[in-house]
Amino acid sequence: MNRIINNPDLVVEDAVRGYLKAHKDLVAPTDNPRVIRHHLAPQKGKVGVVTGGGSGHEPAFLGYVGDGMIDAVAIGEIFSSPSAKAFHDAFVAADGGRGVACLYGNYAGDNMNVKLAVKQAAAHGLTIKTVVANDDVPSAPKSEPQKRRGVAGEILMWKVGGARAAEGAELDEVIASAQKAIDSTRSIGVGLSACTIPAYGKPNFSIEDGMMEVGIGHHGEPGVKVMETRPAREMADLMLDHVLPDLPFESGDDLAVLVSGLGATPVMELYILYDRLSEVFAERGMKVRHPFIGNYFTSLEMMGVTLTIMRLDSELDRLVGAPARSVGLTKVAL
Amino acid sequence: MNRIINNPDLVVEDAVRGYLKAHKDLVAPTDNPRVIRHHLAPQKGKVGVVTGGGSGHEPAFLGYVGDGMIDAVAIGEIFSSPSAKAFHDAFVAADGGRGVACLYGNYAGDNMNVKLAVKQAAAHGLTIKTVVANDDVPSAPKSEPQKRRGVAGEILMWKVGGARAAEGAELDEVIASAQKAIDSTRSIGVGLSACTIPAYGKPNFSIEDGMMEVGIGHHGEPGVKVMETRPAREMADLMLDHVLPDLPFESGDDLAVLVSGLGATPVMELYILYDRLSEVFAERGMKVRHPFIGNYFTSLEMMGVTLTIMRLDSELDRLVGAPARSVGLTKVAL
Amino acid sequence: MSGVRIETAGGLVKELVEAINANRTWLSEIDGAIGDGDHGINMSKGFTSAGAKLGDTPPPLPEALNVLSSTLMEDMGGSMGPLYGYLFSRMADALEGKSKLEADDFGAMLRGALEGVQEIGSASVGDKTLLDALAPASEAFDAALAAGKPFPQALDEMAVAAERGRDSTRDMVAKVGRSARLGERSRGVMDAGASSCCLILQTLANGIKTRLSE
Amino acid sequence: MSGVRIETAGGLVKELVEAINANRTWLSEIDGAIGDGDHGINMSKGFTSAGAKLGDTPPPLPEALNVLSSTLMEDMGGSMGPLYGYLFSRMADALEGKSKLEADDFGAMLRGALEGVQEIGSASVGDKTLLDALAPASEAFDAALAAGKPFPQALDEMAVAAERGRDSTRDMVAKVGRSARLGERSRGVMDAGASSCCLILQTLANGIKTRLSE
Ligand SMILES: Nc1ncnc2c1ncn2[C@@H]1O[C@H](COP(=O)(O)OP(=O)(O)O)[C@@H](O)[C@H]1O
Ligand SMILES: Nc1ncnc2c1ncn2[C@@H]1O[C@H](COP(=O)(O)OP(=O)(O)O)[C@@H](O)[C@H]1O
Ligand SMILES: [Mg+2]
Ligand SMILES: [Mg+2]
Ligand SMILES: [Mg+2]
Ligand SMILES: [Mg+2]
């Protein structure tokens, strides 16, 4: 391991401090060092949108705090859920008096901490409703959606929920749109190399050179299949074979497509993959209205890529396309 | 090597094709497969802004084609200058009748190809003026600026030149602003691991685990010193020790600061570095008006970081802060 | 010798902090096999921060347990924050109004811990979690007492049962948490949470035995 | 035996393409030591694409050289595009109006090549570039002719001088190009461009000798 860190046990503290200094036009600190808020939050009369999750996925999660996106974020250790207190304090930071939508990912730790935080917040008179993302197809069969992990589809869920809240919608409307967003979204990841948590100092799993792990999770959770690395075109086809039939996506569908590197993959390779993906979409009569290609949801310095596809109705199309400004994702009104 | 590619000899072709499909709202193809233009270029009455360089640095160079930025880009092989013909065709694609500013980096190949291209273009009646970036401090002594490489400072040069052209300035004004931009800018890189050109298949240089190479170039050009990796704070101080005295930057200066990962460095580590950088700026009485932190100029999957600092006068401040929309850099008018 | 003075037993919690820190790498390595390799890091960070709050002269045992509990719940996050947070707060609850920690009280602490973990985590015995160390330990302790065995011997039997329970996870398929997705592939290695839980129970047993014999 | 028929000598350029492709890995490895490891890749891509344009029945030598030159300049980029582009276009220029390639003509080709490379690259002999193979080769050829040696022998001496020139770069400190920044550290390994240039000159010498003896 050879990295840009001070104390390996304090990487999150150090990074958050730097982040706050770098993006004063977007974010502000709170009393809880593990909670960052939009610089204008809480915005009176606006439904607050909160997320939270482990660190090491940057720009997720904190990078999506911004205009038309997230109002406050709870920040966990690397690959570990934020504490209940952090979620709770994020709710407080985001609450403008019309309730808070907590849009997070389906992991045991996050589920427990959010549950505790919601209980606490309710005791303090806050109204919190939640949507839990479960877009990762290979993580469980379709018949057990409650077992599926939330992965990069969370970004599109935040985009939709954030845009809906920015429109002035009620909490229930924000929740309904975010739920629809994630219900219309499916993802899959492919891993090509492992990553090292600084405090652990060595990779906690391994992928042999020349092999790829299909269905890998954002923390290196094992995938459904380890096989020889295939050319990018076949990799794309394989990923689509998992994702498209699951919703299913069909001819005539309008799509938002998000291709994210896992950290160390050269950006040009994401486009090599996208070249084939978009060929298949065209062949199958699907139209990509919102492509997002880049490092949107990473896993430290893992090599690999995730594919996320959302089927759009007119509401989702409007909300995904709405203006937003954040470190991770900016949409400019054209 | 374990990567997302088809034919290792065709990575640029494949990536450019994917890029064009992904960003139709920003870019369009030209007859030359190695030239991409702004979707509205050439814009009549606007000075054209062109750059070009080797691939493998994404989002540089093609990712900076966009509103208020670059009008056309010449795309080279991985780590290799575009051909003279590509530069020439980019000039043609960008020329709206008021001349073209070619803002590129100081490398032997680029210098030769631009020289040939400018000659050809002149023969066809085009007016091309050039600015060559040489912001990389460790690449030659201050007394030999013509030997210094252009690195991530190019992005700020494009930002300034692009914004000036978008304001409707004359070619000579665009050139003067871009020249001032790069003259006011200094950079340094630190490498922590090597990278692999797919067609070569193995790293063509190496950095031992636990060692860092200070002053490394964007193609792995050796730095000025190989030493044990220091904590991020010391790394920051070391980088500043090279860069600050060179211009020199002084108390009272307003700055634009760009911290870019080299490809595989986890984004949170860029903020860990920035935390210390911004501490020093504050101590020295310098004010960061425009911080840019992210993967702005990469070297495939190299680990490491570059630091770029620009001293702002009111013109540079205005131009760096002007709205822009591109894959690599978006500034929203607030 | 009858019971441990609760007033001065806060040091037990400091011993837990030491035990976790001493096993930080081992716990992460176990988690690395079928989880994400951070169990030791997570635990060590949370426990260390509780240790710092407790200082050199820790408060009485229930307060010390509550400091540990709330530190884990507030600062630690992960799965372990809520799970161990509940575990230790329930242990503290069992001591309410007591001045001595007798054998019965420790039995109540273990039962409370077990309930707390099940309530928040909704996992069952056999799911390959820390419950698989905790549940048999609690049963063994109660059984030993029911059989009329003295407190120290009941503690020994509890510690053996915890270890056996921990080892039994080797043969289990994970049903909850990160490793659940591995299905059959999660078999063959011990569970990280069961390992830290066993360590905690053993450390408590040793600490109480030492205090009983003082 | 007097000269090579230019009309049918376009195959010489195809032989260059083959030689470069056969040495692709070797050239990249040389470049990897003090450059960026792509010299073989760059050259092979440019030459292969020129080879494809030339097809199975290449045009006369000057045209074939011009196809190679313009392909390198248009498609290849890098430093090699302009440098070798100029080199081959000047070689072609030297054959203007000729039907036979005589010893004198080859001398003119080499001198033209040398001038072309110097003009565009503005490097000097001793800078550790392809000039360090090309310049001594050109001199050796002229010297051999001046000494009255026959064309094939002059070619041999030219090839030996190119190789010696290439090897001499091992001891040089790079003054231009990517490796220049290495300073003293660039000493000890051969220059990649000098290596490909030597290979090209040797391949030309062999090809011409074969044709002279047919
Ligand atoms: N619902 C649950 N109930 C009880 N224990 C659980 C539950 N979920 C996870 N665990 C325990 O958590 C352990 C993993 O802890 P840790 O590695 O610290 O957290 P994470 O899985 O978030 O990385 C597992 O070994 C398991 O014993
Ligand atoms: N100005 C120059 N004149 C002559 N030869 C040069 C010059 N600059 C570079 N070279 C040659 O180019 C070679 C490197 O070529 P190559 O690796 O293909 O390009 P790049 O350096 O762009 O990667 C060097 O070995 C050197 O011989
Ligand atoms: Mg974890
Ligand atoms: Mg090169
Ligand atoms: Mg874990
Ligand atoms: Mg090279």
Side-chain angles (χ1 to χ4, degrees), chain B residues 25-97:
Chain B
D25 57 330
L26 273 172
V27 294
T30 69
D31 288 343
N32 187 329
R34 290 309 181 89
V35 176
I36 282 183
R37 63 175 174 87
H38 189 286
H39 69 122
L40 301 175
Q43 283 183 271
K44 233 186 136 56
K46 189 182 95 64
V47 167
V49 180
V50 162
T51 191
S55 295
H57 304 297
E58 290 65 31
F61 293 77
L62 79 183
Y64 296 98
V65 175
D67 304 342
M69 294 285 289
I70 300 289
D71 294 295
V73 64
I75 299 164
E77 278 305 297
I78 297 221
F79 292 179
S80 190
S81 168
S83 69
K85 178 144 179 36
F87 274 112
H88 172 270
D89 292 351
F91 299 157
V92 173
D95 183 57

Side-chain angles (χ1 to χ4, degrees), chain B:
Chain B
M1 190 191 63
N2 202 21
R3 302 268 279 273
I4 307 172
I5 58 172
N6 293 303
N7 182 337
D9 286 338
L10 298 177
V11 289
V12 177
E13 283 76 359
D14 288 355
V16 168
R17 220 179 316 111
Y19 193 88
L20 284 164
K21 287 177 186 167
H23 302 297
K24 288 183 187 142
D25 57 330
L26 273 172
V27 294
T30 69
D31 288 343
N32 187 329
R34 290 309 181 89
V35 176
I36 282 183
R37 63 175 174 87
H38 189 286
H39 69 122
L40 301 175
Q43 283 183 271
K44 233 186 136 56
K46 189 182 95 64
V47 167
V49 180
V50 162
T51 191
S55 295
H57 304 297
E58 290 65 31
F61 293 77
L62 79 183
Y64 296 98
V65 175
D67 304 342
M69 294 285 289
I70 300 289
D71 294 295
V73 64
I75 299 164
E77 278 305 297
I78 297 221
F79 292 179
S80 190
S81 168
S83 69
K85 178 144 179 36
F87 274 112
H88 172 270
D89 292 351
F91 299 157
V92 173
D95 183 57
R98 287 180 64 199
V100 173
C102 176
L103 313 178
Y104 71 103
N106 190 24
Y107 295 92
D110 296 291
N111 283 323
M112 286 186 250
N113 285 297
V114 167
K115 186 161 137 188
L116 290 174
V118 169
K119 214 193 264 185
Q120 274 177 32
H124 299 157
L126 267 68
T127 310
I128 317 292
K129 299 202 171 172
T130 62
V131 180
V132 59
N134 58 347
D135 51 307
D136 190 36
V137 171
S139 54
K142 193 176 168 153
S143 55
E144 300 181 280
Q146 78 287 355
K147 288 201 179 166
R148 285 185 169 177
R149 295 184 296 249
V151 285
E154 296 185 45
I155 295 164
L156 298 178
M157 169 180 74
W158 301 329
K159 180 73 189 67
V160 164
R164 194 83 178 95
E167 287 180 349
E170 298 295 338
L171 178 56
D172 283 336
E173 294 170 325
V174 173
I175 289 289
S177 298
Q179 186 69 57
K180 177 161 68 170
I182 204 67
D183 288 345
S184 311
T185 299
R186 297 293 185 275
S187 298
I188 185 173
V190 169
L192 297 173
S193 77
C195 61
T196 296
I197 301 178
Y200 189 51
K202 56 191 169 190
N204 71 317
F205 66 103
S206 71
I207 301 177
E208 239 181 283
D209 197 49
M211 303 298 278
M212 64 182 192
E213 186 154 343
V214 180
I216 198 166
H218 266 133
H219 315 90
E221 295 95 332
V224 288
K225 197 158 160 194
V226 176
M227 58 193 286
E228 255 178 54
T229 300
R230 309 297 312 148
R233 293 178 67 86
E234 294 178 33
M235 229 185 267
D237 290 347
L238 191 75
M239 293 171 90
L240 289 169
D241 284 347
H242 274 86
V243 168
L244 292 182
D246 193 81
L247 190 62
F249 296 91
E250 286 166 345
S251 176
D253 282 352
D254 281 343
L255 308 178
V257 175
L258 188 148
V259 175
S260 178
L262 285 178
T265 295
V267 169
M268 58 190 305
E269 298 179 17
L270 306 180
Y271 288 103
I272 292 177
L273 190 84
Y274 187 73
D275 182 47
R276 173 60 184 167
L277 292 172
S278 87
E279 217 171 83
V280 176
F281 294 134
E283 281 165 20
R284 305 242 186 141
M286 301 169 188
K287 186 154 179 250
V288 182
R289 289 188 43 83
H290 303 283
F292 300 91
I293 324 276
N295 287 302
Y296 286 93
F297 203 126
T298 63
S299 301
L300 294 171
E301 82 290 11
M302 219 189 280
M303 268 211 179
V305 64
T306 63
L307 166 64
T308 297
I309 310 180
M310 174 188 271
R311 181 171 59 204
L312 302 168
D313 62 9
S314 65
E315 184 199 8
L316 292 176
D317 184 46
R318 177 186 86 238
L319 296 170
V320 171
R325 184 175 68 98
S326 68
V327 169
L329 191 161
T330 293
K331 271 261 182 191
V332 179
L334 291 186

